[in-house]
């Protein structure tokens, strides 16, 4: 979009300023120098900007490094919670974490009381499958690791159970005594951006990532990514998408003539011509 205005009359003609605005969005990054956990930082960014910074290109990584300076700042990269059957959770999603949860482990059990806990995926528990053909959940009283339980459910039924509301949660909990613990289909394993897009070719620092932690920072001094415990208190980078705009001057040379340059009709005619000649090679173009 272009908007031009006459601002100064010179002996050699008019100088005009044109305001140019692109239709393409450009991502701006902002360092917030507050100490917050990853989850609190994400909420702050979503309230005040758009989200934690998604730096998924070389140019954005360089910009994030510049903004981070000497700090290690949270970015929008984490091992996102994912349902085995339906995929990554949404930004606002139902969960029944017990107080102090989720922990650092990557797979989730439900107890007979309906609370959720994280557990090592290599541990063995009973598990709850979902059968799409009958729209029923089945408690399998055979202890398996999370991956083996997932394979069993997929081979015999549809998948490990997804729980998306209080009714589902109560139904699953009612299938077992309060002291039971059983796998459900919730886990976190793959690094994803906070908009749920897949993260690949990440510039991890030496020895990174640490599989025992689930959130990431950018190191301002190197531009590499490090993994950290999500509860660590750190500054963070937020992002906002904007339409860039700029102003430029265009000098117009007028041929000698009898036109009255104070005539609004003449001025509008000049403006119309300038709007069509605001490319990079239009300086001093005769009209």
């Amino acid at each position: 979009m272009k908007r031009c205005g006459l601002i100064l009359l010179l002996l050699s003609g008019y100088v005009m300023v044109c305001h140019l605005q692109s239709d393409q969005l450009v991502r701006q990054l902002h360092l917030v120098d507050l100490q917050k956990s990853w989850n609190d930082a994400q909420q702050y960014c979503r309230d005040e900007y758009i989200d934690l910074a998604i730096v998924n290109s070389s140019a954005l990584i360089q910009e994030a490094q510049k903004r981070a300076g000497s700090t290690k700042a949270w970015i929008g990269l984490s091992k996102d919670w994912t349902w085995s059957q339906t995929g990554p959770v949404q930004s606002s999603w139902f969960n029944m974490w017990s107080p102090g949860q989720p922990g650092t482990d990557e797979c989730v059990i439900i107890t007979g009381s309906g609370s959720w806990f994280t557990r090592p995926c290599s541990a063995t528990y009973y598990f709850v499958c979902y059968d799409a053909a009958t729209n029923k959940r089945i408690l399998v009283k055979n202890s398996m690791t999370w991956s083996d339980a997932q394979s069993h459910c997929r081979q015999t039924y549809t998948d490990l159970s997804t729980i998306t509301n209080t009714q589902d949660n109560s139904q699953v909990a009612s299938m077992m005594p309060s002291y039971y613990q059983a796998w459900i289909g919730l886990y976190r394993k793959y690094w994803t951006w906070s908009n749920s897009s897949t993260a690949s070719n990440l510039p991890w620092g030496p020895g990174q990532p640490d599989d025992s932690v689930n959130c990431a920072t950018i190191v301002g001094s190197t531009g590499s990514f490090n993994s950290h415990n999500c509860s660590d208190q750190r500054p963070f980078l937020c992002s906002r998408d904007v339409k860039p705009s700029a102003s430029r001057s265009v000098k117009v040379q007028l041929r000698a003539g009898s036109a009255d340059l104070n005539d609004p009709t003449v001025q509008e005619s000049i403006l119309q011509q300038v709007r069509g000649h605001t490319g990079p090679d239009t300086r001093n173009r005769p009209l």
Side-chain angles (χ1 to χ4, degrees), residues 261-277:
L261 298 180
N262 294 315
D263 185 338
T265 303
V266 174
Q267 293 181 4
E268 179 60 27
S269 176
I270 294 172
L271 281 173
Q272 292 295 333
Q273 294 179 64
V274 170
R275 288 189 182 106
H277 296 282

Side-chain angles (χ1 to χ4, degrees), residues 39-272:
N39 289 320
D40 288 345
Q42 182 185 55
Q43 189 60 56
Y44 182 97
C45 289
R46 287 179 171 177
D47 289 342
E48 302 295 331
Y49 296 89
I50 295 296
D51 208 336
L52 274 170
I54 298 170
V55 287
N56 53 0
S57 70
S58 297
L60 286 170
I61 290 172
Q62 291 176 5
E63 179 66 15
Q65 179 183 1
K66 176 182 175 182
R67 297 289 182 185
S70 61
T71 70
K72 293 181 180 179
W74 290 128
I75 54 176
L77 181 65
S78 68
K79 290 182 184 175
D80 202 5
W81 290 109
T82 299
W83 288 107
S84 177
Q85 181 185 358
T86 58
V89 301
Q90 302 302 308
S91 57
S92 177
W93 62 291
F94 173 83
N95 62 74
M96 286 294 292
W97 296 118
S98 181
Q101 293 291 313
T104 59
D105 295 315
E106 297 183 341
C107 292
V108 178
I109 54 119
I110 186 173
T111 67
S113 63
S115 297
W116 299 1
F117 295 81
T118 55
R119 293 288 186 264
C121 301
S122 58
T124 58
Y125 293 97
Y126 294 169
F127 51 98
V128 181
C129 297
Y130 173 71
D131 184 10
T134 61
N135 194 29
K136 291 183 178 180
R137 293 178 173 85
I138 301 94
L139 175 64
V140 180
K141 296 181 181 180
N142 186 7
S143 293
M144 294 186 183
T145 65
W146 190 92
S147 294
D148 288 344
Q150 181 192 51
S151 296
H152 179 90
C153 290
R154 287 179 171 179
Q155 291 170 5
T156 310
Y157 302 101
T158 301
D159 211 325
L160 278 167
S161 180
T162 298
I163 299 175
T164 59
N165 54 54
T166 303
Q167 182 179 355
D168 289 347
N169 202 71
S170 297
Q171 180 191 24
V172 172
S174 68
M175 298 166 60
M176 62 185 83
S178 60
Y179 58 88
Y180 270 34
Q181 299 180 356
W183 292 126
I184 56 176
L186 187 62
Y187 72 104
R188 57 182 173 191
K189 183 177 181 181
Y190 303 107
W191 290 95
T192 58
W193 294 108
S194 52
N195 63 357
S196 297
S197 62
T198 302
S200 59
N201 300 319
L202 300 172
W204 293 112
Q208 296 289 326
D210 179 349
D211 289 338
S212 67
V213 293
N214 302 296
C215 294
T217 63
I218 186 168
V219 183
S221 59
T222 64
S224 61
F225 293 178
N226 279 9
S227 56
H228 298 276
N229 192 310
C230 300
S231 62
D232 289 354
Q233 303 290 304
R234 298 184 179 278
F236 49 97
L237 288 166
C238 297
S239 65
R240 174 183 286 145
D241 291 339
V242 299
K243 288 185 177 181
S245 61
S247 296
R248 61 168 295 184
S249 297
V250 179
K251 186 177 180 181
V252 181
Q253 292 181 340
L254 301 176
R255 294 191 180 97
S258 59
D260 181 1
L261 298 180
N262 294 315
D263 185 338
T265 303
V266 174
Q267 293 181 4
E268 179 60 27
S269 176
I270 294 172
L271 281 173
Q272 292 295 333

